[in-house]
Every structure is written in C-alpha cells, then in structure tokens.
C-alpha cells in the first residue's frame, strides 16, 4: 500500500456479468449433477451428463454465516431443455429464513421461479435490466427460456445459507415447461 491508496482487487463487467480478480470463486453444475430436479431426468443422455447447466462466479468477502456481510455473484445458465423443461438452477430457500436477496438480469431471458412456505409458486419474467427483490422465506430458482446464455446477478446476506434439502424433499410445486413454444408454469 502506497499513500493509503489501494488497487481495486475485483472487477465487474456490467455488460457480461463477468467477475474477475484473485478473490473470485467459480463453480459449476453439470446436467448430470442436477438431473434429478427435472421431470424427465431420464432424458439426460450420457452425452449430456457433462454439459454445464450453469456456472456461478462469486465474491465471498467474509466467511459463510458471518452476520452483517454480503455476498455477490453472477449465475450463467446455458440455453436448452431437458424434455420440455427449461434448464434451471437447483433453487433454494435460505437457511436463515428471514433473509432476502436481489437478483437482476444482465443478459438473455428467463424466469425467476418463486415459492413460499405454503408451496404457492409463481414466476416473474426476467429480461435485461430487470431487478427483483426476493423476500425472506421464499424459495428462488432461475430458468433459461431463451436461446442464449441467461446471465443473472445476485447479492445476498453472508449468513443466509442455502437450504436445498426442502427443495429436494418437496420440489417446487410448479414446473416451467415449453408448451408449443410458450414458457408455461404447470
Ligand atoms: C445465485 C445466488 C447463489 C446461488 C446461485 C446458484 O448466484 O443465489 O446463492 O448459489 O445463484 O443457485 P443455486 O444455489 O440455487 O443452485
Ligand atoms: Zn438465495
């Protein structure tokens, strides 16, 4: 450090959603890893198993579960379907129930699928520039309904945690499927 002026350690490309810098953590989920979330999981062929369903770039400035901190990330969903169901994220409730999250669409098009604790399920269209506040106690999942990558930014509390188990047990009560070319929640 010279004269108390620091160099910025991370960079965000607001056009592509790309995050870069030493502290950025990258993860990915293949179709094989998440196939059980799809209605027609048997339609994921051996060939498709290694296909990347989505990648996440994230910045975790504090340890997970630290109260008062924030995490920041970009989710990049591949286009495509499993049967008639659009490629989607696993989706989760937050372990700390009263924590919210922001999602915003950077590029592509898709839907934010939401479900409350009474299993009431609905979806919101996402296109470039759309910002969505997800309140606490609402499970959230993204689905890519377009022909290009669907890129979504996210910011969430560092103590929110991910409750995937509830989704594994009960699933979302509705699925987003392609009905004659129209994304439909059924
Ligand atoms: C966003 C955030 C992350 C989340 C990621 C992938 O970047 O909500 O917390 O992990 O999307 O979603 P999921 O964990 O449901 O697979
Ligand atoms: Zn979340």
């Amino acid at each position: 450090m010279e004269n108390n002026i620091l160099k910025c350690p991370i960079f965000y490309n607001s056009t592509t959603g790309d995050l870069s810098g030493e502290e950025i953590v990258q993860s990915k989920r293949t179709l094989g890893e998440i196939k059980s979330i799809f209605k027609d999981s048997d339609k994921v062929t051996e060939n498709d198993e290694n296909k990347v369903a989505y990648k996440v770039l994230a910045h975790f400035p504090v340890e997970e579960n630290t109260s008062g901190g924030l995490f920041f990330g970009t989710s990049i969903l591949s286009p495509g379907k499993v049967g008639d169901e659009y490629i989607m994220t696993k989706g989760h409730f937050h372990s700390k129930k009263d924590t919210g999250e922001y999602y915003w669409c950077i590029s592509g098009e898709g839907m934010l699928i939401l479900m409350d604790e009474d299993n009431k399920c609905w979806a919101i269209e996402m296109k470039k520039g759309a910002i969505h506040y997800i309140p606490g106690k609402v499970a959230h999942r993204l689905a890519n309904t377009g022909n290009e990558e669907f890129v979504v930014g996210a910011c969430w509390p560092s103590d929110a945690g991910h409750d995937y188990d509830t989704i594994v047990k009960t699933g979302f009560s509705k699925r987003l499927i392609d009905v004659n070319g129209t994304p439909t929640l059924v």
Side-chain angles (χ1 to χ4, degrees):
M1 194 198 315
E2 219 174 287
N3 304 327
N4 294 317
I5 297 175
L6 309 181
K7 294 253 186 280
C8 179
I10 56 166
F11 288 89
Y12 180 57
N13 183 326
S14 57
T15 308
T16 63
D18 190 41
L19 283 165
S20 55
E22 279 171 25
E23 298 164 19
I24 301 304
V25 177
Q26 197 179 150
S27 60
K28 65 173 189 309
R29 304 269 191 199
T30 64
L31 268 183
E33 281 168 332
I34 62 159
K35 66 180 176 186
S36 64
I37 66 174
F38 295 96
K39 170 173 60 80
D40 296 329
S41 48
D42 54 329
K43 294 214 168 117
V44 177
T45 62
E46 229 170 274
N47 217 10
D48 289 341
E49 292 252 342
N50 295 322
K51 192 179 156 194
V52 174
Y54 59 100
K55 290 182 278 195
V56 179
L57 299 166
H59 184 231
F60 304 114
V62 293
E63 284 212 14
E64 177 129 44
N65 293 328
T66 305
S67 70
L70 292 170
F71 291 157
F72 191 92
T74 300
S75 299
I76 304 159
L77 283 78
S78 303
K81 282 177 281 190
V82 174
D84 55 6
E85 196 169 11
Y86 300 97
I87 286 187
M88 58 186 176
T89 58
K90 284 176 71 173
H92 57 272
F93 281 101
H94 287 164
S95 309
K96 189 173 178 196
K97 289 174 178 287
D98 56 357
T99 53
E101 181 162 0
Y102 275 108
Y103 271 9
W104 60 95
C105 182
I106 297 165
S107 68
E109 53 188 277
M111 297 256 187
L112 169 58
I113 305 168
L114 300 165
M115 183 177 72
D116 68 15
E117 289 188 313
D118 297 324
N119 291 343
K120 190 184 138 220
C121 188
W122 67 104
I124 306 175
E125 288 178 351
M126 289 190 89
K127 46 183 81 164
K128 188 177 172 180
I131 294 184
H132 300 285
Y133 175 69
I134 302 157
K137 302 179 187 169
V138 174
H140 36 289
R141 154 179 285 171
L142 293 165
N144 186 351
T145 58
N147 300 318
E148 299 159 33
E149 282 184 334
F150 176 41
V151 185
V152 175
C155 185
W156 67 103
S158 49
D159 58 353
H162 295 83
D163 167 14
Y164 294 111
D165 287 356
T166 306
I167 302 302
V168 169
K169 276 184 210 128
T170 63
F172 275 64
S173 54
K174 291 192 167 137
R175 295 183 174 278
L176 190 70
I177 61 164
D178 178 341
V179 178
N180 302 321
T182 305
T184 309
L185 203 56
V186 296

